[in-house]
Amino acid sequence: MDWVGRLQQAVASSDRLLLLASPESVTSDAVRSELHAFLARNPDFLRSGLLRVAMVVETPLPPFLEAVQWVDLTQRMGEGIETLCHSLDAT
């Protein structure tokens, strides 16, 4: 199996997903495919907190991601990573 197949399989079987948001990632067909594979297994992702978004570059999010809890890494990376780690530990 190639690395793309292994990645897709890992995402599809993951309990959580962290999306690193950038203009490139939110328009990427590959990222969209991985995200849809995860969401197919976790349709209750908004209430479950299993999907997190880390904003690495200021990026408009697609409408369905606007309600997802996200962490801003664009200004203070260290503080943002700490906040992200605490939020992941809470789920």
Side-chain angles (χ1 to χ4, degrees), residues 57-76:
V57 176
E58 204 165 307
T59 307
L61 294 174
F64 77 99
L65 287 178
E66 289 176 352
V68 174
Q69 180 181 355
W70 61 276
V71 175
D72 187 355
L73 302 181
T74 63
Q75 301 296 317
R76 296 186 172 141

Side-chain angles (χ1 to χ4, degrees), residues 13-87:
S13 63
S14 294
D15 292 332
R16 298 180 190 184
L17 184 68
L18 172 62
L19 173 65
L20 301 177
S22 69
E24 296 80 10
S25 70
V26 299
T27 59
S28 164
D29 290 337
V31 171
R32 189 175 301 117
S33 174
E34 294 159 7
L35 183 58
H36 287 293
F38 176 79
L39 297 179
R41 281 196 60 237
N42 299 283
D44 196 26
F45 70 96
L46 283 178
R47 280 185 281 172
S48 66
L50 300 177
L51 173 63
R52 292 288 199 272
V53 175
M55 188 79 64
V56 294
V57 176
E58 204 165 307
T59 307
L61 294 174
F64 77 99
L65 287 178
E66 289 176 352
V68 174
Q69 180 181 355
W70 61 276
V71 175
D72 187 355
L73 302 181
T74 63
Q75 301 296 317
R76 296 186 172 141
M77 179 79 70
E79 290 177 25
I81 289 174
E82 188 174 323
T83 299
L84 179 62
C85 290
H86 287 300
S87 76

